[in-house]
Amino acid sequence: MTERLRVENLYKVFSKSPDPALRMLAAGAKKSEVLAKTGMVVGLNDVSLSVPSGAIYMVMGLSGSGKSTLARCINRLNEPSAGRILLDGRDIVAAGEAELRDIRRKRISMVFQHFALLPNRTVAENTEFGLKLQGVSPQARRRRAEEVLSIVGLARWGNHYPHELSGGMRQRVGLARALATDADVLIMDEAFSALDPLIRTEMQDELLRLQRTLKKTILFITHDFQEALKLGTRIAIMADGELVREGTPQSIVLEPGSDYVAAFTREVDRSRLFDARWAMTPVQPVPLAAGLCLAETADGGGLVLDDGGHVVGALDADTLRGLRDTAGLGTGGLGTLRKEFVTVRECDSLLDAARAHRAGRPMAVVDEDGRLTGTLAADRILAGIASAPPHPAGGLHA
Ligand SMILES: Nc1ncnc2c1ncn2[C@@H]1O[C@H](COP(=O)(O)OP(=O)(O)O)[C@@H](O)[C@H]1O
Ligand SMILES: [Mg+2]
C-alpha cells in the first residue's frame, strides 16, 4: 500500500520558546521531567508514524497522552515545535498560508467528538459548509450535501436543525460534512466517544461499511482499545506524548511489549479478533488422479480438490492409509470419498470456526473464490483463542 501520511520525529511543546524543553527531550528526558524543570507541557515527544493510503489508522491512548495534539498538528491547528508531517510526500509543517488553507479545505477533513454543528443552520447548510468556503456554487453544494447526507443515512433530513436530531444523527452530519469536500484524509478525533454504546456500535459498523467503498485514509483517535481493535487497520498507542507501540491489532494483542499496553489487551476477546486465516495450517495439495488433488490434514486424513482448488470430499486417516498401501489412490479408490467436511472462510473469526467445528470432520479454510487455502484443526482454534501463536513465525504482520 502506498503511504499517504507520514509523521517524522514530531515534537510539540506548549510554549512560545520551546528550545530548552526540546533540548531536554532530545537528550532523553520524559514529559514529567521537562515539566518539573521548565514548567513547559510536552504534547508530543518524538512521534513518528506512517499511515498507508486507505487505512483506518487508530491512535489510541489514555486521556492526556497527546492524541488530539497529534491530530491538531496534522492540520496545523497546533503548530509543531519540531519535525515533519508529509502528506503525499509534501511537508505540511513547511506549508505557507495559501497552501495550508488549501490543505484544510480540500485534502484533510476533521470530525470532532462534539459535532461542532452550527445550531442555527440546517443540516444541509452544516453539511455544505466546507464547500461554501471552497467557493462552490449554491446549487452544486446543495446537490453534494444531499448526496453525502444520503450516504450517511440522512436523506430527507437536510431541512431540519441540529437540535431536532439525536446524538447519533448529529454525528452523522459531522461525518457527512467531512465527506462533502471529498478530502482523501479524514481525521476523526474521538468522533464516537460521546455516543451511547448502542449508537456507537452502530456508527462503528457504519464507518466500516462506508469505508469499503470510500477508501479514505482515516486517522481515527480514540481512548477505547476495543474501538481501536474493531476499526483499526493499524493502531498506534500513545503515552505521555510518546508513541509506545505500533502495529496491527492482532500483533499488539499478541505482543503488547510493555505493561502499559498489556493492560489494555487483557480483556480482549481473542476469538473475535483472530480469523481462520491466521490460525490455519496452509495446504500444499499434491496431484492425485483424474485432475484431482489431495491436501493432507493434521489428523492424517485429507481433503480432495477438483482442478479448480475446490473441495469435493474428504478422506479419513484410515481410508487414506488403506488407499496408499494398496496404491489405490487412482480414480478407483475415490468411491470412498466422504462428503463430511466443514468449510469456513479465511476471514471468519475463530469464534465462527469454533461454532462450525464438528467432531471427526476436517475443517477446510477457503478464500473468497471458495478455493482451499488451509485446514484448521480444533487444537489450532483453541490455541488461537488463547493467543498462543499457532505458527510462531508465520501469518502475522507486525
Ligand atoms: N493548548 C494547550 N496548552 C497547554 N497544554 C496543552 C494544550 N493542549 C493540550 N495540552 C496538554 O498536552 C497534553 C496532551 O493533550 P491532548 O493531546 O489533548 O491529549 P488527549 O487528546 O490524548 O487526551 C496534555 O498534557 C494536555 O494538558
Ligand atoms: Mg483528545
Side-chain angles (χ1 to χ4, degrees), residues 61 335 349:
S349 67

Side-chain angles (χ1 to χ4, degrees), residues 14 31 41-43 62-69:
F14 290 98
K31 170 176 171 145
V41 176
V42 175
L62 299 177
S63 173
S65 58
K67 308 180 298 292
S68 293
T69 304

Side-chain angles (χ1 to χ4, degrees), residues 117-130 141-142 144-146 148-150 152-166 169-178 180:
L117 301 181
L118 302 164
N120 37 22
R121 304 278 178 93
T122 64
V123 165
E125 285 164 351
N126 268 287
T127 305
E128 63 186 41
F129 194 71
R141 49 182 212 247
R142 188 50 57 97
R144 179 65 182 155
E146 280 165 11
V148 288
L149 282 171
S150 105
V152 301
L154 288 180
R156 293 195 300 279
W157 283 89
N159 293 324
H160 289 257
Y161 285 86
H163 71 87
E164 301 175 84
L165 275 55
S166 69
M169 291 164 83
R170 271 181 249 171
Q171 195 50 280
R172 283 170 196 265
V173 180
L175 188 56
R177 182 172 52 189

Side-chain angles (χ1 to χ4, degrees), residues 147-280:
E147 220 171 87
V148 288
L149 282 171
S150 105
I151 289 176
V152 301
L154 288 180
R156 293 195 300 279
W157 283 89
N159 293 324
H160 289 257
Y161 285 86
H163 71 87
E164 301 175 84
L165 275 55
S166 69
M169 291 164 83
R170 271 181 249 171
Q171 195 50 280
R172 283 170 196 265
V173 180
L175 188 56
R177 182 172 52 189
L179 294 176
T181 60
D182 215 22
D184 35 34
V185 177
L186 293 188
I187 299 179
M188 304 182 69
D189 190 354
E190 305 268 7
F192 302 156
S193 297
L195 303 175
D196 294 334
L198 278 180
I199 307 290
R200 185 173 188 180
T201 302
E202 202 179 291
M203 287 299 287
Q204 292 167 344
D205 294 338
E206 180 87 1
L207 182 70
L208 288 172
R209 189 183 65 76
L210 285 174
Q211 174 67 352
R212 280 201 286 274
T213 46
L214 294 173
K215 297 193 167 59
K216 302 276 183 191
T217 302
I218 302 175
L219 191 78
F220 195 112
I221 292 176
T222 183
H223 63 268
D224 179 347
F225 191 60
Q226 298 293 344
E227 182 164 76
L229 291 179
K230 177 173 176 180
L231 298 179
T233 323
R234 299 186 74 83
I235 303 174
I237 299 182
M238 297 192 61
D240 293 334
E242 295 178 57
L243 197 160
V244 294
R245 181 73 169 89
E246 203 273 351
T248 61
Q250 292 82 358
S251 69
I252 288 175
V253 169
L254 282 178
E255 293 167 57
S258 67
D259 292 345
Y260 176 77
V261 178
F264 294 118
T265 66
R266 228 155 263 149
E267 300 301 315
V268 170
D269 181 354
R270 288 152 169 83
S271 72
R272 291 176 201 273
L273 180 64
F274 294 102
D275 62 15
R277 181 197 349 244
W278 177 77
M280 75 184 190

